[in-house]
Amino acid sequence: MMKITKARVIVCSPGRNFVTLKIETDQGVYGIGDGTLNGRELAVVSYLEDHVIPCLIGRDPRRIEDIWQYLYRGAYWRRGPVTMRAIAAVDVALWDIKAKMAGMPLYDLLGGRSRDGVLVYGHANGKDIDHTSEQVGLYRDMGYKAIRAQSGIPGVKGAYGVGRGDMYYEPADSALPTETLWNTSSYLNFAPRLFERLRADHGEEVHLLHDVHHRLTPIEAGRLGKDLEPYRLFWMEDATPAENQEAFRLIRQHTTTPLAVGEIFNTLWDAKELISEQLIDYLRMTIVGSGGVTHLRRVADFASVYQVRTGCHGATDLSPVTLGTAVHFDTWVPNFGIQEYMRHAPETDDVFPHDYRFEDGYLHAGSAPGHGVDIDEALAAKYPYSPKQLPVARLQDGSMWNW
Ligand code: CS2
Ligand code: MG
């Protein structure tokens, strides 16, 4: 018998807020998990501290599946971003413990390497088309083979994806939500011009991606996908909110631009029809939002039956613990597509020492036992929690829209 002796939540803000779970055992081995929910961090902290941790003490950490089922079925109130992040934090810490005990990098425990490196896409964003094209050039110079491009749009205040400084984009910027303004027709006229220019400046080889961030109706999404076809995007992401999975049938009828969706999904049930009806090409679910490795690999296996590939969310609000675990997952998963890599601020990287590294457009998992990411608690304590929320969006007449 092996036992969990202690579990603690560490909240810190090295550049941005993170919620980290550390699980300790009677054998001296510990594991680290991420439970960060951007803009709603403390809800997960309470869920873990008040409701989950008391149930963990004394349990055998090797029984990952049983603990997952216990927390999922045992909550009675299934699914949702808070519950599934709390479960993910526990699950990832337990996989970390098991892989450390086995003396293996996590990808080996999952079934071994399927590839040499994990193709990533970086974020180029600029205030206008010239600036965005220049940023795409910078990413190409850094070796990126795939680049997401977002640009400021005339008539749209605070367009999604446009950073305040060069190279970094961090939307959760203020204690109360920032108000942005959305204009669909300006955007629909603008976006094809952006990609026409990027292809003219950067050629056919580089993979280009774009995030619509839930702003369109299905028929508008169909039109945009069609207008972007000549520029051969790797994907068009979150064109319309996917609460209604059927909506994607309509988009699919109108365009061959590949579709990605799912960074806000929490379980397979959010994506079941999207996958089984082949309405999407890439699924954006990642470790922290989707109940950890245990659930995400189940989702990926289901998706593989329908030739849907993974495209794990990797914005900076997913801590290095999630990114590191995702890189192990990506190294193994047979139906891998691409991994988002937004790059953390240097303070974040210092607080979370990690084994993964970027080289020539790919992330490499490293060979340390476990998922290869730790937390420097003394350093973390120097960056106290700082409340920040995501922006909201309104239309020109003042009505609320999807941010
Ligand atoms: C985004 C995210 O990376 C992405 O594709 O949609 O930047 C998203 O806005 C943030 O993760 C929200 O916390
Ligand atoms: Mg996105």
Side-chain angles (χ1 to χ4, degrees), residues 124-141 147-152 190 193-203 206 208:
N125 58 74
K127 58 181 185 339
D128 53 27
I129 293 186
D130 287 342
H131 189 209
T132 304
S133 182
E134 197 181 290
Q135 294 290 313
V136 169
L138 282 178
Y139 274 87
R140 294 183 68 207
D141 293 345
I147 301 165
R148 178 185 104 155
Q150 308 291 140
S151 170
F190 176 86
R193 278 186 233 137
L194 169 66
F195 285 92
E196 182 184 22
R197 170 70 185 279
L198 295 179
R199 281 293 174 219
D201 289 359
H202 301 286
V206 62
L208 295 175

Side-chain angles (χ1 to χ4, degrees), residues 148 160 211 213 237-238 263 284:
R148 178 185 104 155
Y160 167 76
D211 192 346
H213 223 260
E237 177 187 347
D238 286 344
E263 67 184 32
R284 304 275 293 130

Side-chain angles (χ1 to χ4, degrees), residues 149-402:
Q150 308 291 140
S151 170
I153 305 162
V156 172
K157 179 186 150 232
Y160 167 76
V162 181
R164 284 167 306 250
D166 274 1
M167 309 299 282
Y168 292 98
Y169 173 60
E170 194 59 77
D173 57 358
S174 131
L176 292 176
T178 302
E179 300 250 343
T180 64
L181 198 64
W182 179 248
N183 182 329
T184 297
S185 55
S186 305
Y187 169 72
L188 285 177
N189 290 331
F190 176 86
R193 278 186 233 137
L194 169 66
F195 285 92
E196 182 184 22
R197 170 70 185 279
L198 295 179
R199 281 293 174 219
D201 289 359
H202 301 286
E204 297 289 317
E205 282 301 299
V206 62
H207 293 303
L208 295 175
L209 298 82
H210 183 63
D211 192 346
V212 185
H213 223 260
H214 314 278
R215 304 296 166 90
L216 301 179
T217 65
I219 196 67
E220 290 163 353
R223 173 183 151 198
L224 178 62
K226 203 181 223 177
D227 288 350
L228 291 173
E229 280 170 20
Y231 315 116
R232 299 283 189 269
L233 261 56
F234 186 95
W235 77 34
M236 174 171 81
E237 177 187 347
D238 286 344
T240 196
E243 287 139 328
N244 179 7
Q245 299 185 39
E246 290 166 28
F248 278 71
R249 285 192 199 133
L250 199 145
I251 307 176
R252 211 43 158 181
Q253 278 165 22
H254 290 285
T255 182
T256 56
T257 293
L259 303 176
V261 74
E263 67 184 32
I264 69 167
F265 294 173
N266 306 123
T267 73
L268 175 58
W269 304 103
D270 296 321
K272 187 166 161 282
E273 282 75 38
L274 289 170
I275 294 170
S276 64
E277 294 185 30
Q278 296 181 295
L279 302 178
I280 57 170
D281 302 280
Y282 297 94
L283 187 63
R284 304 275 293 130
M285 291 170 73
T286 192
I287 309 284
V288 65
S290 319
V293 173
T294 297
H295 191 63
L296 193 64
R297 77 171 169 168
R298 211 150 272 158
V299 176
D301 279 342
F302 179 70
S304 75
V305 175
Y306 300 96
Q307 290 170 292
V308 173
R309 291 188 278 168
T310 65
C312 284
H313 186 203
T316 39
D317 46 296
L318 311 173
S319 97
V321 177
T322 285
L323 183 63
T325 309
V327 174
H328 281 265
F329 180 82
D330 297 335
T331 300
W332 157 73
V333 72
N335 48 327
F336 171 72
I338 200 165
Q339 167 70 49
E340 181 179 15
Y341 179 45
M342 203 167 150
R343 294 176 318 124
H344 288 105
E347 308 93 280
T348 304
D349 282 336
D350 291 346
V351 166
F352 295 94
H354 52 264
D355 204 25
Y356 60 82
R357 66 190 162 80
F358 173 84
E359 201 186 302
D360 199 26
Y362 293 83
L363 275 171
H364 297 274
S367 54
H371 57 45
V373 188
D374 210 336
I375 181 165
D376 179 337
E377 291 189 62
L379 193 57
K382 296 193 176 144
Y383 297 99
Y385 176 70
S386 145
K388 294 272 186 310
Q389 300 201 46
L390 287 168
V392 295
R394 289 188 189 276
L395 302 180
Q396 269 154 329
D397 70 356
S399 15
M400 281 295 296
W401 196 242
N402 311 312

